[in-house]
Amino acid sequence: KQEVTQIPAALSVPEGENLVLNCSFTDSAIYNLQWFRQDPGKGLTSLLLIQSSQREQTSGRLNASLDKSSGRSTLYIAASQPGDSATYLCAVSSSNTGKLIFGQGTTLQVKP
Amino acid sequence: EPEVTQTPSHQVTQMGQEVILRCVPISNHLYFYWYRQILGQKVEFLVSFYNNEISEKSEIFDDQFSVERPDGSNFTLKIRSTKLEDSAMYFCASSLQVLPSPLHFGNGTRLTVT
């Protein structure tokens, strides 16, 4: 059974720092991995999607990497800003129905 | 940018009552999903839906749950007889293709069962 774990559970950094969020999954047979952002009381906003054949994806200050064989992904946020404060969720797709298995998230606080 | 719309944003109901949560997916999307998040817990998959039928469901999605696409725009989740443990945030999502498209989520309906 696929399990997704995110470390750390919470992170507080000063504005301007570069940071890395970690995601691990137990079954390397995945179709893709998706990173989401969740603001309090809101839905999930898709940030980056990495296909199983890809190693990384970039969008602006965000870079996500995937090492399928070791069951790991990282989300790198460059030059963090207070507006980046949110919970970041990692999710993997292990079936061709689009079902996602989520981690518990990392809650990020960027202090001005 | 097109978005997934969910109504209502908050629903309070009494145990044993039926509730219908409504979603309008992005118009050209073909795959539809319901997820839920109990307070403080992970987001959990409930069901995926394509071509007017369920393509996968979780063990949570028992006989008390049903989904329907009654017309060309709406996608609904019905809980027949709500229990206290059904209290959660329910998210609808849609995607253009099952793979490799990303899922787009709505803002959720907070269901409180008293």
Side-chain angles (χ1 to χ4, degrees):
Chain A
K1 181 183 171 187
Q2 180 73 269
E3 303 241 348
V4 180
T5 303
Q6 292 184 247
I7 294 173
L11 184 62
S12 180
V13 300
E15 182 177 3
E17 256 195 31
N18 302 325
L19 57 101
V20 174
L21 308 181
N22 296 292
C23 172
S24 61
F25 45 96
T26 54
D27 185 350
S28 62
I30 64 169
Y31 287 89
N32 59 47
L33 182 145
Q34 203 165 345
W35 281 94
F36 293 89
R37 170 186 172 135
Q38 185 177 28
D39 293 284
K42 299 287 189 182
L44 284 66
T45 301
S46 178
L47 298 173
L48 290 164
L49 179 142
I50 311 178
Q51 302 302 332
S52 61
S53 58
Q54 297 174 321
R55 298 284 292 183
E56 64 179 322
Q57 281 286 334
T58 298
S59 176
R61 294 182 293 108
L62 305 180
N63 176 277
S65 68
L66 175 64
D67 183 344
K68 207 172 74 154
S69 60
S70 67
R72 294 180 190 222
S73 176
T74 62
L75 179 66
Y76 175 82
I77 302 176
S80 58
Q81 302 169 358
D84 294 331
S85 299
T87 297
Y88 291 81
L89 300 172
C90 163
V92 300
S93 176
S94 299
S95 75
N96 62 2
T97 62
K99 168 185 172 181
L100 292 177
I101 306 295
F102 281 84
Q104 71 273 36
T106 293
T107 299
L108 171 66
Q109 182 184 34
V110 181
K111 297 178 182 175
Chain B
E1 184 177 322
E3 56 183 30
V4 176
T5 305
Q6 289 187 244
T7 55
S9 57
H10 191 189
Q11 172 115 30
V12 181
T13 190
Q14 288 189 328
M15 198 167 49
Q17 296 295 305
E18 174 184 286
V19 294
I20 298 177
L21 309 183
R22 301 180 192 280
C23 169
V24 178
I26 294 173
S27 62
N28 63 337
H29 284 189
L30 301 175
Y31 296 84
F32 313 109
Y33 311 86
W34 284 100
Y35 287 78
R36 79 173 186 188
Q37 186 176 33
I38 295 171
L39 190 64
Q41 297 187 23
K42 293 183 179 183
V43 176
E44 303 173 286
F45 169 79
L46 291 178
V47 65
S48 58
F49 190 86
Y50 169 69
N51 201 25
N52 276 323
E53 59 184 33
I54 291 172
S55 46
E56 186 172 0
K57 61 183 181 180
S58 72
E59 57 266 21
I60 302 167
F61 195 88
D62 60 21
D63 293 343
Q64 292 300 311
F65 291 88
S66 62
V67 289
E68 194 178 30
R69 188 153 162 83
D71 53 42
S73 59
N74 291 285
F75 181 51
T76 62
L77 174 69
K78 181 193 289 187
I79 309 175
R80 284 191 186 78
S81 178
T82 50
K83 306 184 191 75
L84 294 175
E85 54 265 36
D86 293 328
S87 295
M89 183 75 94
Y90 287 80
F91 294 108
C92 172
S94 68
S95 64
L96 181 60
Q97 303 168 342
V98 64
L99 298 166
S101 301
L103 267 64
H104 296 264
F105 282 77
N107 280 338
T109 293
R110 179 164 298 286
L111 176 66
T112 302
V113 182
T114 61

